[in-house]
Amino acid sequence: MNSQPPPITCDNAEIVHKKGRVLNPKTKLSSTLVLALGNDIMGDDAAALVASGMLKEQFAEDADFNDTMEAGLALMDIMAGYERVLLLDTIITGRHEPGTVLEFSQDDFRKVVGPSPHYMGLPEVIQLADRMSVSFPPVICIIALEIERPVDFAETLSPGIKEAVPRFVQKAAETLRRWKKEGY
Amino acid sequence: MSKRITINPITRLEGHGKIEIFLDDAGDVERAFLQIPELRGFETFCLGRPAEEMARITPRICGVCPTAHHIASTKCLDDLWHVDPPPTAKKLRELVYSAFMCEDHFLHFYFLGGPDFVVGPTAPATERNILGVIAKVGLDIAGQVIAMRRKCRELIETMAGKVIHPVFGLPGGVSKGITEEQRLEFLKTAETAVEFAQFSLNLFNDVVLKNDDYVKLILDDAYAHRTNYMGLVDENNKVNFYDGHVRVVGPDGDEFARFAPRDYTDHFAEHVEPWSYVTFPYLKSKGWKGFVDGPDSGVVRAAPLARCNVADGMATPLAQAAYEKMYETLGGKPAHATLAFHWARLVEALYAAERMKELLEDPEITGTDIRTEPTRTPDEGIGIVEAPRGTLVHHYFTDDNGVLTKVNLIVATNFNAAPIAMSVEKAAKGMIKGGKVNDGLLNMVEMAFRAYDPCHACATHSLPGQMPLVARVYDSTGKTIKELRR
């Protein structure tokens, strides 16, 4: 690839270049997906799944919902064919307080570093899809909740993360409302 | 001046790990350690739950091997309730399991182990990944890998539902059978898988075996350990992933033990170290002698090559031919070359594909007698399968009501934990001399554990982002004097 597409963020998603294509935001080419990643028996790792459940109550008519603990190639299969994906996950940057809500675009995850079939991250999935000409969502918005690494098995969230989930949901809901307004 | 080199986190390893290499004053390796952050408390988490839930809970431990845990758990539940599933149920389980093994082995070869050989062990780190493999083998083959994986997954999901939340195995049988229409569809998948496995072995032959440097690397003593080996075998001592007896051979290849899964605890015990949550299983009769190989050591390796080493051959014709060719090149059996695990994985992928085909051509596979209702009181059960990375043991105790009172899971990476530690140290000692450390050499150290495909993450998710590999060299005062970053 000689040139990288312009950065795509959640805010400038009205005009999106993908393989030379300019998408018309008024045209709903395919549906929106809310993809929540997490493990429901790993304590705070399940925060995105909890948030997804709450969002579904409000947006069931506007998007497909998929909760999964899979990674790697499975994500490519799940996301392929959608026009926009709102990806909910937990994150461990160590640079923010647990409970902080963060927002990224796929452009923040472009660099490919040491992929694994088991732990193939979003950067690898995006680049692989691009090379394989897979119909991949041109817009991926990522909302993540900072957590501490869970090391114990548990079916409940820690008090601090439980308290942060409504903020997590609110941030995700803002994106879904904006997309809805734009005709997606 | 002594130096410390840290590789953290290790790339292409399931779960984040760290290798620390300590150099002596001459710049040679004094010691090397592999440290893995482990999750804890799963066994406790399970206590007080109905045992039948285990076949649904354990696949959620690990997003990599959910099917292996599901089937091992299901077999454990059979044993717990003292119930023997009907032949059709056993064949359906083995069909699903073979599809899983096929998918996993292909993925490993092309995307995990592949970069080391297809792209090259000393190639720039930025190319030594799946995209580098694609650049080498072409988009068409990459597309075939992905398509093959999808077809195997479709078979699994048709039979079992979502792979992470399977609803297939039940004590005494399975939840559903297959129709004639499904059989014919799955048969196409199996036939394609056989062809693709043969193609992959040819690719391995062309890319790896025709490269003298790679063959030399595979056979290099830095990547060899004379250990015991273990794996499931059928009644003819052929490799079997789903069922059979556990066979153990010594470093000389002679049979050391052969036993039914029920008797597992008569033969194995677990050693613990204060610096790790990982337990280290060892042969009881040999005892724990530390992180050493040789005829007196109790350390056992469990992996594709280990399975081939313990068996008298493969149960399907094409895989048997590939098996014979492999040992011819490796200089006979048992083979101790850790990097040959990758080759054995492809031989096994061919076996899994052929076995799928065999099962789908068996008239009994569409039978409707798929479950024997359990009627006896549960007490204790052990279920063993061969997971892609090696032997997987589930061991449950319950009260009379089937409520769990004790749980022990021993995954392949438990069996391989001591060998991995030994392999990393030996490779480091063989590769790093006179203080010369670079990215390519460090990757060759990493290759020692990557061959085992160790799996530690247990599906803990964090946002897919960068997985940087940082190698640092410290002097004896703790000051960083060199840093390599990927």
Side-chain angles (χ1 to χ4, degrees):
Chain A
M1 286 175 62
N2 295 326
S3 60
Q4 287 288 321
I8 300 165
T9 67
C10 302
D11 291 328
N12 73 356
E14 287 83 4
I15 300 172
V16 173
H17 298 267
K18 178 73 175 174
K19 296 187 182 301
R21 203 158 47 113
V22 179
L23 298 178
N24 181 349
K26 307 286 181 198
T27 309
K28 194 174 180 182
L29 297 177
S30 61
S31 58
T32 296
L33 172 69
V34 176
L35 175 59
L37 306 182
N39 186 336
D40 58 356
I41 59 171
M42 281 309 301
D44 290 345
D45 193 54
L49 308 179
V50 175
S52 168
M54 293 165 77
L55 277 169
K56 197 171 182 178
E57 290 174 11
Q58 299 177 53
F59 295 97
E61 300 294 315
D62 305 308
D64 288 345
F65 284 77
N66 193 323
D67 297 348
T68 184
M69 61 176 277
E70 291 195 87
L73 285 174
L75 294 185
M76 194 163 83
D77 290 342
I78 293 169
M79 294 163 82
Y82 281 97
E83 201 58 35
R84 295 191 174 201
V85 172
L86 177 62
L87 195 151
L88 307 177
D89 201 354
T90 53
I91 190 167
I92 306 164
T93 67
R95 298 191 297 273
H96 302 279
E97 285 295 314
T100 306
V101 180
L102 303 164
E103 183 174 352
F104 307 92
S105 72
Q106 68 260 48
D107 206 49
D108 296 313
F109 295 92
R110 283 208 179 274
K111 192 178 172 192
V112 173
V113 185
S116 153
H118 312 318
Y119 198 94
M120 187 186 288
L122 195 58
E124 296 83 39
V125 171
I126 291 170
Q127 293 213 24
L128 184 63
D130 194 49
R131 303 271 173 98
M132 303 297 297
S133 299
V134 171
S135 169
F136 211 61
V139 177
I140 302 170
C141 182
I142 302 154
I143 313 275
L145 186 65
E146 179 88 19
I147 62 166
E148 290 178 285
R149 181 178 171 81
V151 292
D152 291 306
F153 286 89
E155 287 176 294
T156 53
L157 303 179
S158 64
I161 294 301
K162 192 174 177 183
E163 198 182 297
V165 166
R167 294 198 301 276
F168 191 20
V169 171
Q170 190 186 346
K171 186 74 181 166
E174 283 169 13
T175 301
L176 286 175
R177 280 194 204 98
R178 191 171 65 243
W179 286 357
K180 190 176 175 185
K181 216 171 168 183
E182 291 166 0
Y184 284 93
Chain B
M1 181 187 292
S2 62
K3 296 175 180 176
R4 185 176 75 182
I5 303 165
T6 303
I7 306 175
N8 180 19
I10 300 157
T11 54
R12 282 179 279 139
L13 162 70
E14 177 61 5
H16 293 185
K18 173 170 80 168
I19 291 178
E20 289 199 306
I21 303 168
F22 294 86
L23 306 185
D24 61 18
D25 289 344
D28 296 336
V29 175
E30 194 170 272
R31 289 300 309 272
F33 296 94
L34 173 70
Q35 289 182 302
I36 300 293
E38 270 295 289
L39 304 177
R40 55 186 186 235
F42 184 73
E43 283 85 353
T44 308
F45 175 82
C46 297
L47 299 186
R49 296 173 187 273
E52 64 267 28
E53 283 187 8
M54 291 299 277
R56 298 191 294 274
I57 295 171
T58 54
R60 285 144 73 189
I61 301 173
C62 173
V64 178
C65 283
T67 310
H69 280 293
H70 180 64
I71 298 294
S73 180
T74 302
K75 286 185 67 188
C76 186
L77 296 177
D78 291 342
D79 193 40
L80 184 75
W81 265 282
H82 312 283
V83 62
D84 190 29
T88 296
K90 289 181 182 174
K91 286 172 183 173
L92 288 168
R93 288 180 186 177
E94 193 179 354
L95 172 65
V96 168
Y97 201 63
S98 298
F100 162 68
M101 291 292 283
C102 214
E103 175 216 348
D104 196 283
H105 275 2
F106 282 141
L107 267 185
H108 185 285
F109 174 68
Y110 283 98
F111 291 177
L112 184 62
D116 288 332
F117 287 108
V118 179
V119 183
T122 57
T126 50
E127 295 171 18
R128 216 168 43 235
N129 53 42
I130 179 181
L131 301 175
V133 172
I134 290 174
K136 280 266 185 182
V137 303
L139 280 173
D140 181 48
I141 294 172
Q144 285 184 50
V145 178
I146 290 170
M148 196 67 254
R149 172 190 170 277
R150 193 171 290 139
K151 294 302 282 181
C152 288
R153 295 271 289 207
E154 279 170 12
L155 189 159
I156 296 168
E157 290 183 358
T158 301
M159 298 302 300
K162 277 188 170 183
V163 290
I164 305 293
H165 298 99
V167 285
F168 178 59
L170 301 167
V174 294
S175 59
K176 65 188 281 194
I178 62 169
T179 63
E180 176 60 14
E181 193 183 6
Q182 286 170 326
R183 185 188 74 82
L184 292 172
E185 192 59 35
F186 294 162
L187 193 55
K188 285 185 216 158
T189 298
E191 285 165 349
T192 308
V194 171
E195 285 172 19
F196 193 66
Q198 289 178 289
F199 167 82
S200 303
L201 277 160
N202 287 336
L203 183 75
F204 185 83
N205 187 62
D206 292 344
V207 174
V208 180
L209 300 180
K210 287 184 180 169
N211 183 324
D212 290 343
D213 289 340
Y214 289 175
V215 174
K216 204 173 150 192
L217 192 65
I218 290 171
L219 299 176
D220 194 313
D221 187 58
Y223 292 110
H225 276 294
R226 294 181 59 79
T227 61
N228 304 291
Y229 299 95
M230 71 183 295
L232 281 179
V233 291
D234 65 15
E235 64 278 10
N236 299 314
N237 282 337
K238 300 292 175 68
V239 169
N240 196 291
F241 300 140
Y242 169 73
D243 214 353
H245 280 57
V246 177
R247 194 182 198 199
V248 180
V249 301
D252 55 3
D254 290 343
E255 182 176 292
F256 182 78
R258 194 180 192 284
F259 57 87
R262 253 274 159 180
D263 301 326
Y264 169 81
T265 53
D266 294 342
H267 297 269
F268 278 90
E270 293 172 64
H271 171 77
V272 292
E273 288 280 337
W275 46 268
S276 177
Y277 285 108
V278 177
T279 58
F280 300 91
Y282 62 93
L283 287 166
K284 261 183 180 176
S285 56
K286 290 197 177 187
W288 174 256
K289 307 282 171 54
F291 295 86
V292 292
D293 60 2
D296 298 329
S297 169
V299 169
V300 180
R301 288 203 275 185
L305 188 64
R307 287 190 281 260
C308 291
N309 278 342
V310 303
D312 291 346
M314 309 301 286
T316 54
L318 296 174
Q320 174 63 23
Y323 176 93
E324 287 169 11
K325 183 181 175 183
M326 178 177 75
Y327 279 110
E328 200 178 304
T329 305
L330 295 175
K333 220 172 57 158
H336 302 293
T338 304
L339 295 185
F341 285 17
H342 296 297
W343 193 351
R345 203 168 271 123
L346 284 180
V347 174
E348 287 195 338
L350 180 54
Y351 163 67
E354 283 186 287
R355 185 66 185 138
M356 279 166 69
K357 190 166 176 287
E358 271 184 0
L359 288 162
L360 286 160
E361 286 169 342
D362 184 331
E364 219 168 19
I365 199 77
T366 49
T368 53
D369 181 15
I370 56 173
R371 193 174 184 214
T372 305
E373 286 285 338
T375 54
R376 292 174 59 185
T377 304
D379 42 35
E380 178 188 359
I382 295 183
I384 295 183
V385 297
E386 286 298 325
R389 288 141 199 89
T391 311
L392 171 63
V393 182
H394 280 220
H395 189 181
Y396 313 150
F397 293 84
T398 66
D399 63 16
D400 289 350
N401 296 316
V403 173
L404 291 160
T405 55
K406 189 179 174 188
V407 169
N408 191 20
L409 306 187
I410 303 165
V411 303
T413 300
N414 285 107
F415 290 109
N416 289 326
I420 292 170
M422 290 151 53
S423 293
V424 165
E425 180 165 297
K426 193 170 182 185
K429 285 180 173 172
M431 297 296 157
I432 298 173
K433 303 278 187 191
K436 187 186 170 194
V437 182
N438 59 41
D439 191 50
L441 286 173
L442 287 176
N443 183 57
M444 287 163 82
V445 174
E446 284 189 63
M447 283 167 65
F449 70 77
R450 206 144 54 226
Y452 294 88
D453 195 7
C455 180
H456 296 270
C458 305
T460 304
H461 257 282
S462 61
L463 186 68
Q466 295 182 359
M467 285 179 65
L469 181 143
V470 180
R472 290 195 184 95
V473 182
Y474 302 90
D475 65 18
S476 56
T477 65
K479 184 183 165 193
T480 304
I481 58 170
K482 188 170 183 180
E483 181 174 295
L484 296 172
R485 185 178 288 271
R486 297 180 191 173

